[in-house]
Amino acid sequence: MKYISTRGASPEISFRRAVVSGLAPDGGLYMPAAWPAAPDRQAKNFAGMAFGDVAAEVISLFAGDEISQSELRERAARAYAPFEAPETAPLRALDDDLHVLELFHGPTLAFKDVAMRMLAELYDWALADAPRGKTILGATSGDTGGAAIHAFAHSPRAEVFILHPKGRISDVQRRIMTTTDADNVFNIAVDGSFDDCQRIVKTLFADRDLAASVDLGGVNSINWVRLAVQTVYYFTATASLGKPASFIVPTGNFGDVFAGYAAMRMGLAVNKLGVAVNTNDIMRRVLTTGVYAPANTVATTSPSMDIQVASNFERLLFEASGRDSQALANLMAEFAAAGRFTTPEPWLRNMQQMFVAEAADEAAVRQKIAETLREKDYLIDPHTAVGLVVYDRLKAQGLIKGPAVCLSTAHPAKFPDAVRDAAGRRPDLPERFADLHERAESMVDAPADADAIKRFVLERSRFCVKTG
């Protein structure tokens, strides 16, 4: 299996290389050169299988013969051993047509654990014979950072520098990141938004001087293999239901919902993919009007979705264009110059065949949290509430019909104040986090400036090779 850049000006790479890569050198995102096929009979066999075994089968389709399925099973077993739910990603029925896919049973209480822990195992495999370790650089809107830090803590082959927007994530999200005691982990609180953090990471991945000093690796959803792992729970959820469904996905950077699209391209029967956004509704706007025009980011109670520049949308544009890398590169150049673009009409029609989108404002989110507790005796976090509000609206519009699965991306205890204010009940953290607020934090403050972050990385990296 080979991987290509969406912008077409970078050489193909192997699966091993894709594991440890972020952006392609031409600024594009890596994609499979061709979609692997998961035969229908294979997908049906996933019912009743352990999540790790399904993960091994699905990932092997992306890896080809570069890693054996037996090694993938061993690594998946280690990756998912700490999850508190035996199923790893269990389905919970809310009514006859609606299920919630609980993705928050991992070590950091968010869906990012599902992919990140397997990615850490694959990093260990990919770097086994490397001359030096990888310097992982990432931005987080709240959950990616904690999952990456937990998965890679104490790794002899990787160090982790994570940027988060200072004061714009919940205290629990921050503390899960900043209280990890590992000398290969660095937390950077950036004076800006998540979009600022993401911009800095993209700038540094394109910095040739930095690349000559440290070997940068990506674990944000710009990393293709992370998305490949996320396809797994679309397969397991469908197998558990025993029939095709629509998936409603709370969306920030567009990676989780694009993983659903990838599963569909592999052969999984999916009815519709519902893109659920909060007040920062750029993905609703572009999927309904075609106009991609970032606005100012608004802080909400669902901070992981407080994003105006969704990096993974480039992957969908690439697909919708018929994989026309030159046309996509031109559109991205237009966006870089003008700060906006209008999606070509044929591309938009292609996207609208599979994707529907809606937004949930803060009042609706609060109401949904309270209503779900009152009517279903089920406590949800604000991101899941966004998804359930959007499900109601898409169903009322006739855009979603029949069985539906809403992805529940975080444990409500990661957002205790927002949940308490909405539902009148403060969710308890799992016992292993009982002393979280007493643990010492470790982080540094930094301006929203790529040069300042670059200096910090060069000063602290244990894998840095001095140049010049």
Side-chain angles (χ1 to χ4, degrees), residues 16-343:
R16 182 185 292 269
R17 186 64 189 168
V19 167
V20 296
S21 294
L23 288 174
D26 61 5
L29 301 177
Y30 285 114
M31 289 276 285
W35 289 107
D40 185 57
R41 58 174 175 75
Q42 181 181 26
K44 288 179 179 177
N45 289 340
F46 291 157
M49 284 177 58
F51 187 90
D53 290 341
V54 177
E57 288 204 25
V58 172
I59 296 167
S60 71
L61 298 174
F62 289 104
D65 59 4
E66 291 188 54
I67 181 172
S68 70
Q69 200 169 124
S70 62
E71 182 169 358
L72 284 170
R73 281 195 297 271
E74 291 173 7
R75 291 187 176 277
R78 285 197 296 270
Y80 300 118
F83 280 65
E84 294 197 329
E87 310 95 323
T88 301
L91 273 177
R92 181 187 178 105
L94 292 188
D95 61 39
D96 289 344
D97 276 342
L98 178 63
H99 286 71
V100 169
L101 181 61
E102 294 182 343
L103 299 173
F104 51 72
H105 293 285
T108 70
L109 309 181
F111 81 100
K112 306 293 177 74
D113 288 321
V114 179
M116 199 68 72
R117 288 193 58 80
M118 191 64 197
L119 184 61
E121 286 287 338
L122 290 169
Y123 251 76
D124 183 69
W125 162 76
L127 296 174
D129 299 319
R132 60 171 167 164
K134 274 279 184 180
T135 299
I136 294 170
L137 179 64
T140 185
S141 54
D143 291 328
T144 293
I149 285 167
H150 189 280
F152 286 92
H154 308 294
S155 169
R157 297 189 175 100
E159 59 189 4
V160 185
F161 292 81
I162 294 293
L163 286 61
H164 74 266
K166 183 178 179 180
R168 300 198 187 193
I169 62 176
S170 78
D171 287 348
V172 173
Q173 283 179 307
R174 188 192 72 248
R175 284 182 168 274
I176 284 176
M177 288 193 295
T178 61
T179 58
T180 299
D181 184 17
D183 61 7
N184 68 324
V185 166
F186 302 92
N187 287 282
I188 305 171
V190 173
D191 187 13
S193 67
F194 170 75
D195 290 325
D196 292 321
C197 297
Q198 189 163 247
R199 171 183 52 79
I200 290 168
V201 168
K202 287 183 176 180
T203 298
L204 295 184
F205 266 100
D207 188 314
R208 293 184 178 182
D209 176 63
L210 182 62
S213 301
V214 297
D215 187 8
L216 288 180
V219 295
N220 276 69
S221 54
I222 57 175
N223 177 292
W224 167 254
V225 176
R226 216 189 88 180
L227 295 193
V229 180
Q230 287 174 253
T231 67
V232 175
Y233 43 74
Y234 288 91
F235 283 99
T236 60
T238 302
S240 295
L241 281 177
K243 55 189 172 184
S246 295
F247 287 87
I248 314 301
V249 188
T251 301
N253 214 20
F254 207 71
D256 208 11
V257 72
F258 189 82
Y261 171 85
M264 183 269 294
R265 290 303 308 269
M266 295 169 70
L268 182 68
V270 175
N271 293 336
K272 288 287 184 181
L273 291 167
V275 179
V277 293
N278 62 18
T279 304
N280 299 284
D281 67 342
I282 186 169
M283 292 314 305
R284 180 195 64 80
R285 286 182 277 124
V286 68
L287 287 170
T288 53
T289 71
V291 177
Y292 190 80
N296 291 328
T297 306
V298 177
T300 72
T301 54
S302 48
S304 296
M305 302 162 69
D306 291 347
I307 296 171
Q308 287 285 349
V309 180
S311 291
N312 284 290
F313 186 49
E314 180 169 333
R315 287 184 162 116
L316 182 58
L317 289 167
F318 178 64
E319 288 286 294
S321 72
R323 297 196 154 206
D324 187 337
S325 57
Q326 186 57 61
L328 177 65
N330 292 341
L331 194 68
M332 291 298 100
E334 177 186 335
F335 179 59
R340 58 181 289 145
F341 63 80
T342 298
T343 309

Side-chain angles (χ1 to χ4, degrees), residues 365-385:
V365 168
R366 287 193 296 273
Q367 181 179 340
K368 180 55 71 173
I369 294 172
E371 173 190 300
T372 306
L373 178 60
R374 182 177 64 252
E375 297 181 2
K376 307 294 184 183
D377 193 28
Y378 187 57
L379 204 55
I380 58 174
D381 88 294
H383 302 76
T384 306

